[in-house]
Amino acid sequence: MWTISLQFCSDPSYIALLEDVGTDVVELTGNHLLDYGPDATLATLDMYDFRGWRYFGGGRNLQDSIQPALMEHNGNKLAFIGCNYAGPPNDWATETRPGSAPCDFDRLVAEIGNLRSAGYLPIMTLQYNEYYQPNPTDYEQRDFLRMASAGAVIVSGSQAHMPATMEFSGGSFIHYGLGNLFFDQMSLLIDGILITDACNVF
């Protein structure tokens, strides 16, 4: 019987890659955000704050995690907002612990509406359940379309390890999963134990 271990990390020096690509905003909805515990997560957020990078979909506590990242670019008012639908629950932020933002779709519908009323263009991302297929499930399509109907101009799935399909709904662009960019999954079999650790990626 094999045991599967999934623990993702990156050497702090590799933040230079994000600097090189001109990072301005970081999404934190990932369901491995707390793999190395709250202290490592807070240290990562300190690195972002030091560089003046905004983040969303996660944070230092629950209240911080649900705040949109607001910015203006070329006269466009942008609002980035996101949540972690997939869990696990111990990855979600609490009142006293960092983590990803849990999905409360009723709250998100209201938040997106408020942002539109304030003149922002909401960009919504979801860490949804992983499906190794290009087409969305009925549940996935339902939830993404609901965010679009609420007024999000872009709705994007951040969970997909393979590219998924996309569609337009009204004036919204929906992408059900971008796939991996700087990340790959590597596996190593040791004494019948399947180890998957993103520390091995770089």
Side-chain angles (χ1 to χ4, degrees):
M1 181 175 169
W2 290 355
T3 301
I4 297 177
S5 173
L6 293 166
Q7 192 172 27
F8 297 162
C9 70
S10 182
D11 189 293
S13 67
Y14 297 153
I15 199 168
L17 173 61
L18 299 182
E19 293 173 331
D20 287 345
V21 299
T23 297
D24 295 304
V25 183
V26 180
E27 186 219 44
L28 298 175
T29 66
N31 58 342
H32 289 278
L33 187 60
L34 286 180
D35 275 6
Y36 279 81
D39 290 342
T41 302
L42 292 172
T44 300
L45 297 181
D46 287 341
M47 295 174 71
Y48 298 158
D49 287 341
F50 177 77
R51 289 161 175 81
W53 296 348
R54 296 182 177 94
Y55 56 81
F56 70 99
R60 297 178 180 278
N61 52 50
L62 179 61
Q63 191 59 37
D64 189 36
S65 76
I66 63 175
Q67 296 302 310
L70 306 178
M71 62 191 311
E72 188 167 339
H73 182 68
N74 291 334
N76 297 303
K77 296 174 66 175
L78 306 175
F80 296 87
I81 187 169
C83 68
N84 175 354
Y85 177 83
N90 61 8
D91 189 77
W92 291 328
T94 70
E95 296 294 341
T96 58
R97 189 195 69 197
S100 58
C103 287
D104 178 340
F105 288 120
D106 290 338
R107 180 190 65 79
L108 287 164
V109 166
E111 178 75 17
I112 290 170
N114 290 337
L115 289 167
R116 287 302 297 260
S117 296
Y120 284 94
L121 301 173
I123 299 170
M124 173 77 202
T125 68
L126 296 101
Q127 175 80 195
Y128 212 77
N129 293 328
E130 181 66 66
Y131 303 107
Y132 288 90
Q133 62 186 44
N135 296 325
T137 65
D138 291 342
Y139 293 108
E140 188 176 12
Q141 192 170 37
R142 174 201 66 193
D143 291 335
F144 282 52
L145 286 171
R146 184 180 181 193
M147 297 298 97
S149 295
V153 295
I154 297 174
V155 183
S156 181
S158 57
Q159 78 290 336
H161 292 298
M162 64 167 55
T165 55
M166 58 194 83
E167 66 174 304
F168 291 95
S169 177
S172 302
F173 172 70
I174 301 173
H175 200 313
Y176 290 100
L178 301 175
N180 296 334
L181 178 58
F182 299 127
F183 173 84
D184 196 6
Q185 291 176 305
M186 299 179 67
S187 299
L188 179 65
L189 185 63
I190 302 176
D191 295 331
I193 300 175
L194 183 63
I195 306 294
T196 304
D197 191 334
C199 292
N200 296 324
V201 170
F202 299 98

